[in-house]
Amino acid sequence: MNRPISQEALPFLSAPFPQGISYQSLYPKDAAYPFLHDTALFQHQGRMILGWYNCTEGEICGDTRIRARWSENEGNTWGEMETIASSADQNLHYVPVSFGADSKNLYAFVTRMSGWDECIGYEILKHTHTGWESIALRKEPLLFNTPAYPLVNGHFLMAGRMSGKGCVHPEIPMVAISEGKSLLSPFRPIPLPGPWLQGEFPLEFPETAVIVKGSRITAFVRGQTFQEGENWRPLRFTSEDYGNTWSPGCKTNLPAIGSKLFGGVLKNGLDYLIFSAENDRMEQSEGRELLALAILSPDHSRILRHYRLLDGKNQETGLLPEWSYPCAMEYHNHLYISCTSGKKGAILMKIPIKSLEESFSSLQKLW
């Protein structure tokens, strides 16, 4: 936590905020559920949904359920909270949620846990006119960190982490690919190359983000949490065959602290990464004081532009760090980004895409 600020982090400390960025607080406080974490954004058939997990007693303690809100008008206003998944069994926890859709239906993919970070499978729920209907229980101990991405070959891909031989907790970074061309096909997990394949687990929370461009997929895996040493920065992996095989991981110079990343591709061709960035207040809020956005070069080897998204207290909403676990989507010429606020709230950012197209002379080597 007392690590000196690196040279790579300096551009983010003074980076501009995107022009036109706006903020909303999305969690109407519920005293019965004071803990909130891991937001998920999606849009389906002209509606936006923002989901998260709530707990009654602390992280994955007590009643842990998935809740969400909908917007019918591009995020300007939001409906009441609804519950996607819950259980009367205090030993069954639902955490977290990821969304996916086919041409007709919206689905929620929810990891089921028997204890803190102990995956026992996942559940798929379908949105209906009357709420959410559970349609499948899968036994694979997978924890998804991304939406379900449709691939150009007709399959679907999700990324995250998984349990396996030798690890009770999901300490193996992975992608999962649908065996068929239906989103409801079984997902085949593919561990990324690394020491976890030989029974060594140097990363406690190897959460995985992906950037999908045709058959080429780049994965970024979270480094170790708040520890000095060689494993604290994210790893980068690449696949040229829709995620079926992967290059060995290489260490990046991305100044991301221990927290989940999120990546994507805008319709204008820009690739981006969102992450909790190294900053000069590392002893506060688990270091998650600064949420950053990087626009990457097409080969993902360089950062072309730096932005700050959240830096300390957000004056517009009054919400506080830590800022963590972002999710993003493009919708109607805007980039929407959600993340956790202090593990007590959810914040939503809306950025005009055109403000991210401005040219800067900032280049930074990533790996």
Side-chain angles (χ1 to χ4, degrees), residues 194-315:
W196 36 84
L197 299 181
Q198 284 74 50
E200 299 177 16
F201 306 99
L203 304 180
E204 189 175 6
F205 306 107
E207 291 149 339
T208 304
V210 290
I211 295 177
V212 179
K213 302 189 79 171
S215 62
R216 180 179 173 82
I217 302 170
T218 305
F220 292 89
V221 175
R222 166 184 169 171
Q224 185 58 291
T225 303
F226 317 131
Q227 291 186 9
E228 301 285 356
E230 61 179 356
N231 291 322
W232 74 275
R233 283 190 166 170
L235 297 173
R236 175 182 176 273
F237 302 78
T238 58
S239 172
E240 303 290 345
D241 59 0
Y242 301 100
N244 286 285
T245 60
W246 291 86
S247 69
C250 67
K251 297 175 184 177
T252 73
N253 290 324
L254 188 72
I257 64 174
S259 197
K260 188 178 81 169
L261 304 89
F262 191 88
V265 182
L266 299 175
K267 292 178 182 177
N268 62 10
L270 293 179
D271 301 349
Y272 65 87
L273 269 179
I274 305 166
F275 55 95
S276 301
E278 185 183 353
N279 60 81
D280 53 0
R281 289 145 288 158
M282 292 293 288
E283 293 186 6
Q284 303 176 44
S285 304
E286 294 190 344
R288 295 166 174 173
E289 289 275 322
L290 174 61
L291 190 74
L293 169 67
I295 302 296
L296 305 182
S297 62
D299 65 355
H300 305 154
S301 67
R302 292 182 180 273
I303 296 173
L304 302 181
R305 297 196 282 283
H306 308 78
Y307 296 97
R308 283 180 292 165
L309 299 173
L310 290 159
D311 192 356
K313 179 179 179 179
N314 179 250
Q315 298 300 326

Side-chain angles (χ1 to χ4, degrees), residues 55-65 89-93:
C55 306
T56 56
E57 301 174 24
E59 188 165 6
I60 319 178
C61 296
D63 180 1
T64 302
R65 59 178 54 196
D89 183 354
Q90 296 287 293
N91 295 314
L92 177 59
H93 306 280

Side-chain angles (χ1 to χ4, degrees), residues 35-40 50-53 259-260 276 288 291 310 319-327 337-349:
F35 187 95
L36 181 152
H37 200 18
D38 213 342
T39 63
L50 175 66
W52 59 81
Y53 76 88
S259 197
K260 188 178 81 169
S276 301
R288 295 166 174 173
L291 190 74
L310 290 159
L319 294 176
L320 298 170
E322 56 191 74
W323 308 118
S324 61
Y325 284 59
C327 186
I337 303 169
S338 65
C339 77
T340 299
S341 164
K343 294 182 179 173
K344 296 178 180 178
I347 192 167
L348 179 70
M349 293 151 272

